[in-house]
Amino acid sequence: MPGSPDVLPLRVVAVTYSPGEALEGFVTSLAEATTRPVDVVLADNGSTDGVPEQVTARHPQVRLLRTGGNVGYGAAVNAGLAGAPGRYALVANPDVRFEPGAVDELLAVAARWPRAATVGPAIRTPEGELYPSARDLPRLSTGAGHALLGWAWPGNPWTARYRREREAPRERTAGWLSGSCFLVDLEAFSAVGGFDPGYFMYFEDVDLAERLGRAGYLHVYAPTAVVVHEGGHATRREPHRMQRVHHTSALRYLSGQYPGRRHVPLRTALRAGLGARMLVSHVSGRVAAGARFQRRAEGVGRAGRGVRA
């Protein structure tokens, strides 16, 4: 039926910042990822490589939205989702490639979980590792153990509890899903005000997930849908700046969990600890890289359909 939600174009938002040749693969892989028409919005934060303009010119379903500068990831996504039609939209990094049927599978999983605000796929690295994209919300104990020990002892119990890598991939709820690729319920997203633009990059997905969870929504991991994510473009371009941003965002999020005057000593300790780790990461690539991934991307995709839990 014309105008019904199932035939409306699916809004797909990618934040671009000189994305390079990966953007063409992102757009072309969408053609086999869904049978629905798509409306791809490139929320551009000031690219200088000319690629977003070139891709927009080649693909009629793609349009360029200039955000006015490097406003950060969350703010750009908010702008890209403004006015999106229908119930769902897809948010993904421009260096993601979708495996065939991946987006339709995310939509099918969302239909089984009516309280899901976000649904995220299995994320495979080009090397065939499974990125731990469906994690528990970070708490003080797990966060401290993960930050202090993950780089040297990736299998430590705090990192394992936080990233849940010891579990076989299966359809399940999670504390938060990686913002590098997820399907989002637009009504839920709007209800909590979208991404907090105060996060320039990193932890904006954690913060969004926590606010959605407090509002009664769920986050569902769907390993029957698979994407390949190269990752690390911004980090490779400006490694020290991105390390600083990562630690600053972590401090902002964790400090927000402990408000008020009685938690001033704890917030001070967090600032000192994260500041020290940031300084160490500037001189040690191993610390900066964090904990290595612990699983291969096996048992994901439709052939490895998991059990709902």
Side-chain angles (χ1 to χ4, degrees), residues 66 96 269:
R66 301 186 191 278
V96 160

Side-chain angles (χ1 to χ4, degrees), residues 112-124:
R112 295 197 291 270
W113 296 80
R115 291 299 295 170
T118 60
V119 180
I123 299 177
R124 182 164 56 84

